[in-house]
Amino acid sequence: MKQEILTVKSNIALASDVYKMTLGECEKPIPGQFVEIAVDGFTLRRPFCVYDYDGKNMTVLYKVLGEGTKAMSKMQSGQKADVLTGLGNGFDIEKSSKPLLIGGGLGAAPLLYLAKCFREKGIEPVLFLGAKTASELCFLSDFKDFKVYTSTDDGSEGFKGTIVDGLKNLSLDFDRFYACGSVNMLKSLPSFSDRGYISMEARMACGFGACMGCSIHTASGTKRVCKDGPIFDVKEVIFD
Amino acid sequence: MTDLKVSLLGHTLKNPIIPASGTFGFGYEFAEWYDINCLGSISLKGTTLSERYGNPLPRVAECSSGMLNAIGLQNKGVDKVISEEIEKLKAVYSDKVIANVGGHSEEEYISVCEKFDGCDKVFAIELNISCPNVKGGGMAFGVDPTVASNLVAKIKKRVKKPIMVKLSPNVTSISEMAKAVEGAGADAISLINTLVGMRIDIATAKPILATGSGGYSGKGVFPVALKMIYDVKKAVSIPVVGMGGVSSAKDAVEMMMAGATAVMVGTQNLINPYACKEIIETLPAVLNKIKTEKISDIIGRAQ
Ligand SMILES: Cc1cc2nc3c(=O)[nH]c(=O)nc-3n(C[C@H](O)[C@H](O)[C@H](O)COP(=O)(O)OP(=O)(O)OC[C@H]3O[C@@H](n4cnc5c(N)ncnc54)[C@H](O)[C@@H]3O)c2cc1C
Ligand SMILES: Cc1cc2nc3c(=O)[nH]c(=O)nc-3n(C[C@H](O)[C@H](O)[C@H](O)COP(=O)(O)O)c2cc1C
Ligand code: FES
């Protein structure tokens, strides 16, 4: 965990409501960790996964949802940003030699850097990225160097149907999955496999374990998504 | 050399800055950010008799100039707080701390206070009778002067350590509450806890917090807190510990001038983990500007 004043290197739109912001220079994160960006005029920091890291700069992939992310989308290159970095536990890449990475919509965000970290170790991951419709996969070209399967609910890209149906349809060879996406998508994963890790989300105040704002129930008791997570064994999480 | 020392309930604090309950965990979490030995003291997370998960999520929401919380006193229960959390804190903080006690019944408050009474690391017990987030308890004890003074009187009979009663701003007259608990034997008063508030998600037309409402804290409450501290200081002769929206050394000085012997910093820790450290480091410069060498000289200066 560290507070860093970073410089916005670029902030570009991939679609009308999806942006990529590169910030630097910062320390090397663990894949699956997140950062909290202070946005001028807003009390609480906004949490985002690390989408990419090039050795110097970090990128976040974000959707414009409310007022805070709207203000972020207007930030200009050269502007300074107050960021808490290195938050959360991150994915454990030692746990797998045949990883399957599963992203639902913007849940693909932590998977690009994770895929790169696996490749760095000499392991080729397989990815499965699903969404409601093709336009929600506006970031797909960033993954072009990897083996990627896709699905959409409306069939506009890849398999037509849910992520779990798409996965069942493929019978891929993997030893662990690493997933991120909506709660509903994560909840449906155990019907596909219980050998894997999921990245959880919660509304946060601090993001570093102090306020108990983000606590969830798990098989081993109450855990804070921001500090004990956001990555949990899928078998541990008790969904409400 | 500026002298930042203040005396509170027979204990000398090296400076008057104390992180507020619920915004600093059990302290050791912040040792990852900085050496927390610079802090005057620490008010620990609200503790109950048994373990509590708290309220369903979402339990935090943002507001302009602050936030709402409805944590609902998540904690491991007093026995584990003493045997696990305070043990971890001892490794990173050498001074004594303030235990913060919540409850649902008089019996629960008394039992938890008695357990902390036997804990060396604790020099005072802050009685949270003002939590808006616990059904059937918490604030119910803090909005009726008779109920509050009965509770305080019973605890005072059983507990040796000084009792600091934390008051709710959600009352008609906070001075009346202060006088009532002083009459019952309270050794100090702290204020303010959070103001009851609500936010609505316009897409679903439902409150954002799962419990509907929560407690409002942060910069926005500062002037409200300041006035209440000013009024309470006038009404009682026991020490007053101030909090509510403090985010700078200047705020802390203002609060002490209103009558606070020490100042707690809450929500600002969640936004800037270095908040307390930065406030402590900036205090001498603020005091220099008003040509004051001893911070204890400014307590109640605005009265
Ligand atoms: C660990 C973590 C990682 C995340 N990673 C990404 C990512 O990589 N890309 C991405 O687009 N989004 C991500 N999110 C969600 C993102 O934080 C929210 O979309 C964003 O905070 C919304 O801010 P806003 O001001 O636009 O929305 P508003 O609704 O105006 O925000 C009001 C408050 O609610 C909080 N909030 C609102 N929606 C969410 C939500 N879905 N999750 C958490 N907090 C929320 C905000 O942080 C803020 O405190 C992540 C969330 C978490 C917890
Ligand atoms: C997330 C959160 C949790 C809190 N938990 C407690 C608690 O357990 N016990 C208590 O007495 N006050 C609790 N409070 C209230 C604070 O200690 C403080 O009285 C209030 O937030 C006003 O100060 P501030 O504006 O500086 O935050 C909590 C506040 C917040 C924001
Ligand atoms: S957001 Fe504060 S503990 Fe997780």
Side-chain angles (χ1 to χ4, degrees):
Chain A
M1 299 194 301
K2 214 172 156 192
Q3 181 184 32
E4 301 190 75
I5 305 299
L6 305 180
T7 308
V8 177
K9 303 280 168 140
S10 68
N11 189 20
I12 51 168
L14 298 185
S16 63
D17 61 347
V18 178
Y19 284 71
K20 259 199 315 197
M21 185 189 284
T22 299
L23 296 148
E25 297 172 354
C26 59
E27 279 178 21
K28 187 174 169 46
I30 298 169
Q33 281 189 321
F34 68 100
V35 300
E36 282 214 310
I37 303 180
V39 187
D40 269 352
F42 295 86
T43 307
L44 301 178
R45 293 167 183 270
R46 298 312 196 246
F48 299 96
C49 302
V50 176
Y51 180 55
D52 204 357
Y53 182 72
D54 68 3
K56 276 201 311 217
N57 301 320
M58 161 194 83
T59 299
V60 297
L61 174 72
Y62 65 100
K63 190 180 166 90
V64 174
L65 197 87
E67 293 302 318
T69 42
K70 191 167 158 194
M72 271 174 65
S73 71
K74 305 225 163 78
M75 285 167 74
Q76 303 286 327
S77 302
Q79 222 175 309
K80 299 285 179 202
D82 169 354
V83 188
L84 303 183
T85 57
L87 303 175
N89 55 358
F91 290 112
D92 185 350
I93 61 170
E94 303 303 325
K95 289 271 168 38
S96 174
S97 53
K98 267 189 248 162
L100 168 62
L101 280 44
I102 308 168
L106 257 266
L111 304 185
L112 180 64
Y113 180 49
L114 175 64
K116 291 187 178 178
C117 290
F118 270 119
R119 180 171 282 175
E120 221 175 79
K121 266 190 72 193
I123 294 170
E124 268 313 293
V126 173
L127 287 102
F128 193 103
L129 304 177
K132 285 198 191 72
T133 183
S135 62
E136 285 186 1
L137 294 172
C138 56
F139 47 78
L140 211 50
S141 61
D142 290 342
F143 289 85
K144 63 180 185 305
D145 290 347
F146 294 95
K147 177 74 193 152
V148 181
Y149 296 93
T150 54
S151 76
T152 47
D153 294 350
D154 64 4
S156 53
E157 162 79 45
F159 177 84
K160 179 174 189 224
T162 65
I163 290 174
V164 163
D165 287 343
L167 286 165
K168 285 180 178 163
N169 186 47
L170 280 170
S171 45
L172 295 163
D173 182 27
F174 70 98
D175 59 3
R176 288 283 185 285
F177 71 75
Y178 295 78
C180 183
S182 71
V183 177
N184 282 336
M185 188 282 259
L186 298 176
K187 253 187 195 168
S188 69
L189 286 174
S191 72
F192 161 68
S193 164
D194 64 0
R195 283 173 298 139
Y197 305 94
I198 56 177
S199 179
M200 294 289 290
E201 253 188 36
R203 282 189 187 240
M204 294 179 174
C206 68
F208 50 84
C211 72
M212 312 295 146
C214 63
S215 300
I216 58 164
H217 294 288
T218 74
S220 42
T222 305
K223 301 273 172 174
R224 296 158 299 182
V225 170
C226 70
K227 183 80 180 167
D228 309 307
I231 314 303
F232 295 93
D233 189 314
V234 69
K235 290 193 289 292
E236 282 275 297
V237 175
I238 301 167
F239 291 101
D240 294 319
Chain B
M1 257 301 276
T2 326
D3 178 3
L4 294 183
K5 284 195 293 297
V6 294
S7 167
L8 178 67
L9 298 168
H11 186 73
T12 303
L13 309 183
K14 54 185 164 300
N15 64 66
I17 302 302
I18 306 170
S21 179
T23 63
F24 214 72
F26 286 92
Y28 57 83
E29 289 87 349
F30 278 79
E32 287 183 52
W33 295 103
Y34 61 91
D35 181 356
I36 60 171
N37 281 303
C38 66
L39 300 169
S41 186
I42 299 171
S43 176
L44 304 180
K45 173 67 193 162
T47 302
T48 51
L49 190 56
S50 321
E51 177 165 9
R52 284 179 58 90
Y53 163 71
N55 292 320
L57 304 190
R59 21 164 121 160
V60 290
E62 189 182 51
C63 312
S64 47
S65 302
M67 63 174 281
L68 294 180
N69 90 81
I71 308 296
L73 295 181
Q74 179 188 329
N75 76 98
K76 292 181 172 174
V78 63
D79 290 333
K80 280 197 177 164
V81 163
I82 292 173
S83 65
E84 294 174 12
E85 306 285 28
I86 293 184
E87 283 308 308
K88 281 196 213 166
L89 173 61
K90 279 183 185 167
V92 288
Y93 187 67
S94 58
D95 275 342
K96 297 202 175 196
V97 298
I98 301 168
N100 181 282
V101 174
H104 287 79
S105 63
E106 284 190 346
E107 295 71 42
E108 182 176 6
Y109 274 109
I110 293 167
S111 311
V112 181
C113 287
E114 282 180 335
K115 298 211 178 201
F116 279 127
D117 209 21
C119 177
D120 283 348
K121 189 72 179 169
V122 169
F123 80 92
I125 297 171
E126 185 177 43
L127 207 61
N128 176 10
I129 54 165
S130 44
C131 182
N133 298 322
V134 191
K135 267 207 195 95
M139 201 168 78
F141 288 93
V143 291
D144 181 326
T146 316
V147 176
S149 49
N150 282 342
L151 176 68
V152 173
K154 282 187 185 152
I155 291 170
K156 279 303 293 177
K157 271 199 204 115
R158 307 267 286 270
V159 175
K160 284 186 220 66
K161 286 199 162 87
I163 298 292
M164 174 156 83
V165 181
K166 184 164 177 179
L167 297 182
S168 168
N170 305 300
V171 292
T172 315
S173 167
I174 200 161
S175 306
E176 286 309 310
M177 290 298 304
K179 279 194 244 172
V181 298
E182 181 185 41
D187 301 286
I189 284 169
S190 62
L191 74 161
I192 59 174
N193 208 316
T194 53
L195 291 139
V196 177
M198 179 185 263
R199 289 298 307 276
I200 288 169
D201 180 344
I202 62 167
T204 59
K206 293 211 170 76
I208 291 177
L209 296 175
T211 45
S213 63
Y216 179 42
S217 63
K219 279 185 189 172
V221 311
F222 180 72
V224 178
L226 199 69
K227 169 72 162 82
M228 290 186 167
I229 291 156
Y230 183 87
D231 288 350
V232 164
K233 181 66 187 175
K234 259 198 173 22
V236 299
S237 51
I238 50 178
V240 172
V241 171
M243 78 193 94
V246 173
S247 66
S248 67
K250 187 172 160 292
D251 291 346
V253 165
E254 252 186 80
M255 211 166 245
M256 291 183 76
M257 287 184 168
T261 298
V263 172
M264 293 193 179
V265 178
T267 303
Q268 195 62 21
N269 293 306
L270 308 178
I271 300 161
N272 170 13
Y274 297 99
C276 285
K277 180 182 195 289
E278 288 172 7
I279 289 173
I280 293 163
E281 287 167 356
T282 318
L283 273 175
V286 176
L287 292 172
N288 248 344
K289 260 198 187 152
I290 54 169
K291 302 196 167 44
T292 302
E293 265 175 32
K294 275 177 71 173
I295 200 164
S296 56
D297 288 345
I298 67 168
I299 299 167
R301 191 179 269 182
Q303 287 278 338

